[in-house]
Amino acid sequence: MKIRLALNLARRGFTYVSVVIAAVLIGLILSTFLKLVASQNQMTMRSQAWNRNIAVVEAGIEEALAHLNKNGAWDWQTFTYTGNLLVDGWSAADGGGWTKTAYIGEDYYVVTISPFAPGTNCPNVTADGYVKQLGTFALGKWVSRPFLAALGGNEGATYVKRTVSCTTTNVPLFSKALVAKQTIDLNGNNVRTDSYDSMIPAYNTNGRWDINKARDRGDIATNNSLTNSVNVGNANVWGSVSTGPNAANPGHASMTIGATGKVGDGSWQNDNSKSGVQPGKDRDDMNVFFPDVVLPFTEGLPPQSGTINGTNWSMILGSGTFKANTLSGKVLVRGKARILVTGSFNMTGQDVIQIAPGASLTMYMDGPSAGFGGNGVANVDGIASSFYYFGTKNNTSLTLSGNGQFTGAIYAPSAVVSGNGGGNSSEDFSGAAILKSLSFNGHYSFHYDEALGRKGIYSGFTLTSWNEL
């Protein structure tokens, strides 16, 4: 009997080799699959960290803007910085400016406010965001995979970095002639809006509006998006009209205009062959928030009366803070005064608020109604920023009437305002106004003081550009 051992041994060797080759191939396929999974996981983790960083950077930018608006006061009359930005965790930055580091969990940002730039007097804001790089799963275990491209080749780092630099501006509160939350009705006779500049001699006469030097920035605007939210009537608006979004006619203001009404610049107004609205002077891009007035004080000295140079004054206000239940009669302002009126305010007959050269008055009206009549606000230097009227949410009615001239700025976002006849004067209202709604009846002229856009009250810093470095 013959047994063939060699054949069995060959078959066994072939089987062993086949198993080994199969195992190697399976191992290579599995290794390749795991590496593919690890690469996909790594890219996902990198993408998540990169995208999450933008929220960290935005937090830094918002922190800087909040800090500027709370503590970054700027005196636009002397062009000097008067605030204190070394508070609330901020410190001096190397090379000038201010900086702060804040953490959001394991992530953090370093934000820097530059010195106020010459010319614009507004700072730049730069924020560096650092987000911790998550690990990736590879070859059966979690390993750290720093995002080297974002880290500039620093292999020991574990944070993704993104940097954003922004420029800012400080938006003036009174940037247009007339602004309303709801409707504006210019349905009167010889109603006109235009502008002048009380700080540039070429655009005023002794600081006041002059028809021969009138300019065309008498813009009016309303947040309202209802049809015909602005009624121009037969008025002459030397400027532009803006309303909220107009679904019926996108890109154009919601308004009506009479047969002889005009909206446009100086060349359009002076061309008798032109009528209606100048192309490009009606827009539907108005969207502004009108915050309620918050009283900066609730107590003050009672105003004193007296006689100066033979004139009896019911109130004489020097520099200081005052409080009165009513305001009427003849008021003389001789310094930088603030006054809170808690009850009634109504000027009639020979009543007047006279502001001496170099003096100023800021009035807070907390009563329901007020009326500027009589001889109005006699602002001797013609600068609208010398008189500010702030109406709280309790101030729901305001009247402008009589032959008196008004020079100042009104912010009363809860007040329904009516202009009832301007008499024979062409200098009825010089300054700016922000109101709930407005209607003019009879003759009335409204002149925007462009100086309010450079000197006066500012609504706060905001961004003008966003650049990733």
Side-chain angles (χ1 to χ4, degrees):
M1 183 178 192
K2 294 181 180 180
I3 300 175
R4 297 181 180 179
L5 296 176
L7 180 58
N8 292 335
L9 291 173
R11 289 177 177 176
R12 291 177 181 176
F14 179 77
T15 301
Y16 293 151
V17 171
S18 299
V19 171
V20 170
I21 293 174
V24 171
L25 290 176
I26 293 172
L28 289 174
I29 293 172
L30 181 59
S31 175
T32 302
F33 178 75
L34 289 175
K35 189 170 183 61
L36 176 61
V37 172
S39 297
Q40 290 178 336
N41 181 263
Q42 181 179 348
M43 289 187 290
T44 300
M45 294 300 102
R46 288 178 176 179
S47 178
Q48 288 179 349
W50 185 252
N51 293 333
R52 194 168 76 251
N53 203 323
I54 199 66
V56 177
V57 170
E58 287 179 346
I61 298 294
E62 291 177 359
E63 171 88 5
L65 287 177
H67 186 54
L68 281 169
N69 289 321
K70 177 184 177 183
N71 303 306
W74 183 267
D75 188 338
W76 294 85
Q77 299 184 45
T78 61
F79 292 97
T80 56
Y81 166 70
T82 60
N84 180 19
L85 292 176
L86 294 175
V87 295
D88 297 336
W90 289 74
S91 59
D94 294 338
W98 305 266
T99 186
K100 182 178 182 179
T101 301
Y103 282 82
I104 305 175
E106 293 183 313
D107 306 330
Y108 68 98
Y109 58 78
V110 179
V111 59
T112 302
I113 300 173
S114 75
F116 285 65
T120 64
N121 299 312
C122 294
N124 296 333
V125 175
T126 301
D128 298 321
Y130 297 88
V131 171
K132 193 171 185 180
Q133 174 66 42
L134 298 177
T136 58
F137 189 76
L139 301 178
K141 63 178 181 179
W142 287 94
V143 297
S144 177
R145 297 285 186 182
F147 195 179
L148 302 182
L151 295 170
N154 184 1
E155 296 184 1
T158 59
Y159 280 86
V160 176
K161 177 184 177 182
R162 294 183 78 170
T163 300
V164 171
S165 180
C166 303
T167 57
T168 68
T169 188
N170 204 345
V171 181
L173 179 62
F174 297 101
S175 58
K176 297 180 183 293
L178 289 170
V179 178
K181 293 171 64 175
Q182 297 182 359
T183 59
I184 295 177
D185 185 353
L186 306 182
N187 187 21
N189 298 316
N190 299 320
V191 176
R192 170 186 173 125
T193 72
D194 57 19
S195 67
Y196 73 110
D197 196 312
S198 62
M199 296 182 68
I200 300 179
Y203 305 135
N204 70 71
T205 297
N206 296 323
R208 307 197 66 83
W209 173 82
D210 185 329
I211 192 170
N212 297 313
K213 301 177 181 179
R215 288 165 56 80
D216 52 14
R217 287 197 57 195
D219 303 340
I220 63 176
T222 173
N223 267 4
N224 208 330
S225 59
L226 299 176
T227 301
N228 302 331
S229 54
V230 173
N231 180 15
V232 175
N234 292 317
N236 291 90
V237 178
W238 288 54
S240 63
V241 175
S242 299
T243 67
N246 183 3
N249 190 12
H252 298 277
S254 303
M255 66 176 178
T256 58
I257 187 167
T260 60
K262 276 190 176 184
V263 177
D265 60 21
S267 62
W268 184 268
Q269 297 288 346
N270 292 322
D271 188 342
N272 292 329
S273 67
K274 304 293 184 182
S275 62
V277 182
Q278 181 181 0
K281 292 298 182 179
D282 63 326
R283 300 187 296 271
D284 64 348
D285 57 356
M286 186 67 178
N287 184 19
V288 177
F289 174 66
F290 300 91
D292 292 332
V293 173
V294 178
L295 293 177
F297 61 93
T298 56
E299 298 297 332
L301 298 173
Q304 301 298 311
S305 60
T307 301
I308 298 178
N309 297 327
T311 301
N312 296 322
W313 300 95
S314 54
M315 291 185 183
I316 300 176
L317 305 177
S319 296
T321 299
F322 303 89
K323 180 180 179 180
N325 181 50
T326 61
L327 190 150
S328 61
K330 294 183 177 180
V331 180
L332 176 63
V333 182
R334 308 180 71 186
K336 297 185 182 302
R338 301 188 303 171
I339 187 169
L340 169 62
V341 180
T342 58
S344 62
F345 166 54
N346 189 31
M347 299 175 60
T348 59
Q350 298 300 310
D351 292 353
V352 65
I353 297 177
Q354 182 167 313
I355 301 175
S360 64
L361 175 63
T362 301
M363 179 186 298
Y364 295 91
M365 182 62 187
D366 201 32
S369 62
F372 286 98
N375 290 320
V377 178
N379 197 328
V380 177
D381 57 14
I383 300 175
S385 58
S386 294
F387 177 71
Y388 285 110
Y389 175 97
F390 291 100
T392 69
K393 62 182 179 181
N394 295 323
N395 181 205
T396 57
S397 175
L398 178 60
T399 302
L400 305 172
S401 62
N403 293 317
Q405 301 170 2
F406 178 98
T407 302
I410 297 175
Y411 181 84
S414 297
V416 175
V417 180
S418 60
N420 298 319
N424 297 319
S425 174
S426 59
E427 240 184 299
D428 300 317
F429 191 113
S430 298
I434 298 175
L435 317 159
K436 181 177 181 180
S437 64
L438 171 70
S439 63
F440 282 152
N441 296 306
H443 160 81
Y444 213 95
S445 296
F446 197 102
H447 316 295
Y448 172 58
D449 186 357
E450 296 177 28
L452 288 169
R454 302 186 310 275
K455 171 188 175 183
I457 296 176
Y458 284 73
S459 59
F461 288 94
T462 187
L463 301 183
T464 55
S465 69
W466 175 289
N467 300 299
E468 185 163 0
L469 304 180

